[in-house]
Amino acid sequence: MLRVAIDGPGGTGKSTIAKAVASRLGLEYIDTGAMYRSIALKSIRLTVDPEDENAVVDMLSDTVIDFDDNKVFLDGEDVSGLIRTNEISMQASTISKLGPVRAKVDEVSKRLAATKNVVMEGRDIGTAVIPEAEVKIFMTADPAVRAKRRYDQLIEQGKSANLEEIKEEIEKRDYQDSHREINPLKQAEDAVFLDTSEMSIEENIDAVCDIIAAKTGAEA
Ligand code: DC
């Protein structure tokens, strides 16, 4: 069994890196943040307050989340293209504080990790979802670097962006994700710390593959 757990704050490029590493090593890529994001999307669509636990539990009672073939499904609908907005990032961070939301995503994540060799990324994979993972990496980058990467990405997509506002949102989300009560973002004791502030995407992919190779003795 090979399970690679990658945790870290938002905007570190975990999705890009985890996806590339999974494809290079022939592993299944699982993006747990995408599942929190799709629950956030549903709450926005239904105008459910993400802080109102009873209302959220009610909504979850007829919600089906799945992740397959690099896509996230909300009640059978592929919502992968709809969940990458700033509004959904913040709503996902807020709604993910609730225990029943975490239980819902954990159930899917744990089921996938039990049956497949995976690269799974999120905030609590090495600490709570797969504490027995063979490889754990805590990936981070300076907030200013993460803000600039996000800014460049938005400009490249022809969207308007404000660097200062993006940095503030990143810091707010970091705070919220690392200070919640249940399974907050934190480095697992046995995780390898990787600061990617000065790395290109290629260097980052190589660094992760090197860590996996060193931990497993596998050729990566
Ligand atoms: O990784 P991401 O930016 O797509 O995650 C969106 C939000 O979902 C993040 O701000 C907090 C939450 N999340 C979480 O609480 N636990 C995870 N394992 C993954 C994401």
Side-chain angles (χ1 to χ4, degrees):
M1 214 56 192
L2 175 56
R3 289 149 305 178
V4 180
I6 303 182
D7 290 304
T12 37
K14 291 189 307 295
S15 301
T16 309
I17 304 305
K19 205 183 288 177
V21 168
S23 136
R24 197 189 278 188
L25 304 183
L27 308 171
E28 192 86 16
Y29 162 66
I30 315 287
D31 176 359
T32 60
M35 295 190 255
Y36 289 103
R37 284 171 182 270
S38 59
I39 293 173
L41 171 68
K42 184 160 180 175
S43 72
I44 290 171
R45 282 177 170 173
L46 300 181
T47 60
V48 168
D49 177 356
E51 311 252 15
D52 180 344
E53 181 152 347
N54 288 335
V56 172
V57 166
D58 202 33
M59 178 188 88
L60 289 177
S61 69
D62 66 350
T63 298
V64 180
I65 303 291
D66 205 0
F67 194 90
D68 188 34
D69 197 20
N70 285 353
K71 298 186 195 82
V72 64
F73 295 88
L74 169 66
D75 299 326
E77 175 192 357
D78 176 5
V79 292
S80 316
L82 302 174
I83 54 170
R84 302 283 156 203
T85 66
N86 287 354
E87 184 193 14
I88 291 189
S89 300
M90 264 336 283
Q91 184 98 348
S93 174
T94 302
I95 211 163
S96 69
K97 288 190 234 169
L98 300 177
V101 171
R102 304 205 67 77
K104 184 109 190 168
V105 175
D106 282 0
E107 188 196 313
V108 181
S109 309
K110 285 182 176 164
R111 173 171 48 79
L112 294 170
T115 52
K116 294 172 176 171
N117 291 322
V118 296
V119 178
M120 186 176 287
E121 55 109 344
R123 302 289 183 287
D124 60 342
I125 311 307
T127 51
V129 181
I130 335 175
E132 70 282 18
E134 285 73 14
V135 183
K136 296 183 189 179
I137 299 171
F138 190 83
M139 218 168 94
T140 190
D142 194 289
V145 173
R146 287 188 270 143
K148 181 68 170 57
R149 286 177 186 164
R150 178 73 182 141
Y151 173 85
D152 289 346
Q153 196 182 39
L154 289 167
I155 296 297
E156 205 181 290
Q157 292 165 358
K159 296 182 182 147
S160 66
N162 177 314
L163 188 57
E164 215 25 62
E165 265 173 37
I166 295 174
K167 186 157 173 279
E168 273 168 29
E169 272 178 22
I170 281 180
E171 286 172 339
K172 187 171 170 209
R173 200 147 70 96
D174 282 359
Y175 184 87
Q176 193 157 273
D177 292 348
S178 51
H179 286 81
R180 65 167 178 249
E181 229 165 273
I182 313 168
N183 299 337
L185 167 67
K186 91 167 189 269
Q187 183 176 347
E189 272 177 25
D190 50 350
V192 176
F193 180 81
L194 188 64
D195 185 338
T196 72
S197 304
E198 309 274 316
M199 290 180 190
S200 67
I201 291 177
E202 270 313 309
E203 286 168 341
N204 196 341
I205 296 168
D206 287 344
V208 169
C209 287
D210 287 348
I211 293 169
I212 297 172
K215 285 268 170 194
T216 62
E219 202 43 48

